[in-house]
Amino acid sequence: MFLDTPSLHLDPLWDLSAAYAADPRPERLNLIIGVYRDESGASPVMPSVLAAEARLLARAPSKEYLGLSGNTGFNAAVTGLLLGEEELVARATAVQTVAGTGALRLLAELLATTGPGRTVYLGTPSYVNHLAILRAARLNVVEYPVSRDGVLDAEAVLAVARTARRGDAILLQGCCHNPTGLSMPGPLWDELAAVMAVRGVVPFVDQAYFGLGDGLEEDLAGMRRMLRVVPEAVVAVSGSKAWGLYSERTGCAIVLTEGRERGEYARGVLEVTARADYSQPPAHGALIVAEILGDPGLRAQWRAELEEMRLRLTGLREGLADALAAGPGGAAFAALREQRGMFLRLPLAPGQMDRLREEHAVYGIPSGRISLAGVPTARIQDLADSIAAVADPALIGASRA
Ligand SMILES: Cc1ncc(COP(=O)(O)O)c(C=O)c1O
């Protein structure tokens, strides 16, 4: 046997998805994974994406190898969209990546390569893959609780910034935090930026849900405020949610540096890392995004479609919060209205999430997170009733991060 068999830690999300697929109950609800769904439960292809694909098909772009930075037009367009202003763009360099995960991984490698012994601070709970990605790059990771009873603990983030060593990094989700649904308010970005700039602590920003919280510009505003103040930063961008390009693995790693030379060096590290991992990113998703962002008409259409998705999520959240508030233990659910984006984090313990699945065919994940877009509007009251049925008032909100 060439294989040792150490224990594996696979994300429970995939086991739950398999259990959902095998569940014969017709009323079952799939609220497991962060994928946008329409009223019929389908994950639709955005019309702006279809229009871009039709143009690409007509133009039949060559499938020749790309350079190691991938599609440079895509990199420039995404950098412009995310950073929004010339002064920030001028400090940035970018490479196309294999989706948001690939961007996180390449940037983690950059931090590990350029700062041996560097620590990355990770607020918990967080996106389940963050810890695995940081560890895979052999970074020291220090976890700290970033929310308490469903409320963002601003003091905890600031305390980390005040104690981190020069060169350490803090991983921050740009908006619509997965899994808590919390977005950091503008003044907290400012305060954090000021501390990090003085102490030389590096922001490692993960942008996966922009456009799905308070609006595209609003969702990016906090990060931009921070980037104006800190000298250097790294930003991982996922194209999966905002363009619905989940399986096209579309993303971008952006690095802001002091001076062009440092930027070129950082890009070199990212390219060397990519070259040894997969050589070049896949072309199709980036071509679509570049086509959309490069054409004013398509760009406006995409923004309107993104806004439509956002409004559906907001409506579902409000509807569920209203229905839960009207039921038993209603006050315990008040914080849900403050959450943003694709997810909603219920104040339920893992055992209650198990009951939700076993007794009511509602599939969320053990941390209490449900993916809102999986709920058809007509099923909101059903869902609220199921949640209320498993929510032992004595346990609601008990010692939750
Ligand atoms: C916070 C966060 N970052 C990054 C990602 C990675 O997304 P992808 O690799 O599909 O672009 C996800 C996916 O769910 C996420 O929730």
Side-chain angles (χ1 to χ4, degrees):
M1 268 300 277
F2 74 100
L3 285 172
D4 285 340
T5 52
S7 58
L8 285 175
H9 300 286
L10 282 180
D11 191 337
L13 201 131
W14 304 111
D15 282 345
L16 284 168
S17 296
Y20 172 83
D23 190 332
R25 292 173 289 183
E27 72 279 16
R28 69 195 176 151
L29 278 179
N30 181 359
L31 313 183
I32 304 166
I33 200 162
V35 166
Y36 181 81
R37 298 185 193 283
D38 61 19
E39 281 288 311
S40 76
S43 171
V45 182
M46 293 169 88
S48 54
V49 166
L50 285 175
E53 283 184 313
R55 290 185 190 190
L56 291 170
L57 193 60
R59 210 186 315 136
S62 163
K63 298 204 184 289
E64 190 186 329
Y65 283 125
L66 302 168
L68 294 177
S69 281
N71 183 329
T72 51
F74 162 85
N75 293 336
V78 169
T79 301
L81 179 78
L82 269 283
L83 303 187
E85 49 203 74
E86 209 28 66
E87 298 79 61
L88 293 180
V89 171
R91 292 166 46 208
T93 184
V95 307
Q96 187 201 327
T97 58
V98 183
T101 306
L104 288 165
R105 179 63 200 270
L106 283 196
L107 291 170
E109 291 287 348
L110 174 68
L111 292 176
T113 308
T114 56
R118 193 195 298 274
T119 292
V120 178
Y121 288 86
L122 177 65
T124 57
S126 198
Y127 167 45
V128 280
N129 210 11
H130 276 153
L131 184 60
I133 291 169
L134 297 173
R135 286 203 174 138
R138 303 163 315 281
L139 284 157
N140 300 324
V141 183
V142 171
E143 298 180 88
Y144 68 98
V146 77
S147 59
R148 211 181 309 134
D149 298 333
V151 178
L152 179 70
D153 188 349
E155 261 318 304
V157 196
L158 286 165
V160 161
R162 290 192 194 107
T163 50
R165 290 168 313 168
R166 181 164 295 275
D168 285 348
I170 306 180
L171 202 152
L172 300 164
Q173 294 190 33
C175 64
C176 313
H177 184 277
N178 176 7
T180 63
L182 302 170
S183 287
M184 292 205 303
L188 178 56
W189 283 100
D190 291 342
E191 210 178 339
L192 205 48
V195 178
M196 291 172 82
V198 168
R199 297 184 48 81
V201 180
V202 185
F204 185 173
V205 185
D206 182 5
Q207 286 286 10
Y209 297 97
F210 51 93
L212 296 174
D214 292 311
L216 182 62
E217 292 299 315
E218 292 82 349
D219 290 346
L220 295 169
M223 175 189 72
R224 291 175 184 166
R225 287 161 83 137
M226 173 172 273
L227 296 181
R228 282 179 211 128
V229 175
V230 295
E232 302 199 317
V234 296
V235 182
V237 184
S238 166
S240 302
K241 325 284 168 169
W243 287 277
L245 289 171
Y246 310 93
S247 61
E248 296 293 356
R249 311 311 293 142
T250 309
C252 190
I254 304 175
V255 184
L256 280 91
T257 52
E258 278 185 309
R260 276 250 65 83
E261 256 176 44
R262 288 171 66 80
E264 286 307 309
Y265 178 78
R267 191 153 58 81
V269 174
L270 298 176
E271 289 187 345
V272 166
T273 309
R275 178 72 174 142
D277 277 353
Y278 53 84
S279 200
Q280 319 212 348
H284 190 64
L287 280 169
I288 293 169
V289 171
E291 189 73 22
I292 290 173
L293 294 180
D295 178 288
L298 264 189
R299 188 181 176 112
Q301 182 187 339
W302 164 68
R303 294 231 5 202
E305 290 164 5
L306 181 62
E307 180 64 5
E308 204 179 298
M309 297 199 300
R310 185 182 81 81
L311 291 175
R312 172 169 149 71
L313 293 170
T314 308
L316 289 168
R317 174 175 285 101
E318 289 295 319
L320 188 59
D322 286 347
L324 286 167
F333 298 103
L336 301 188
R337 292 184 201 280
E338 302 309 313
Q339 301 183 11
R340 294 286 180 276
M342 211 171 250
F343 300 116
L344 189 143
R345 190 155 184 250
L346 297 166
L348 297 182
Q352 292 170 313
M353 293 303 289
D354 289 345
R355 284 187 57 204
L356 207 50
R357 184 178 68 253
E358 287 157 12
E359 298 168 21
H360 301 271
V362 174
Y363 284 73
I365 63 173
S367 69
R369 191 194 82 179
I370 57 173
S371 180
L372 267 177
V375 194
T377 308
R379 299 284 311 278
I380 285 285
Q381 188 59 50
D382 277 1
L383 176 60
D385 292 345
S386 301
I387 294 167
V390 302
D392 173 352
L395 282 179
I396 291 176
S399 65
R400 291 296 304 271

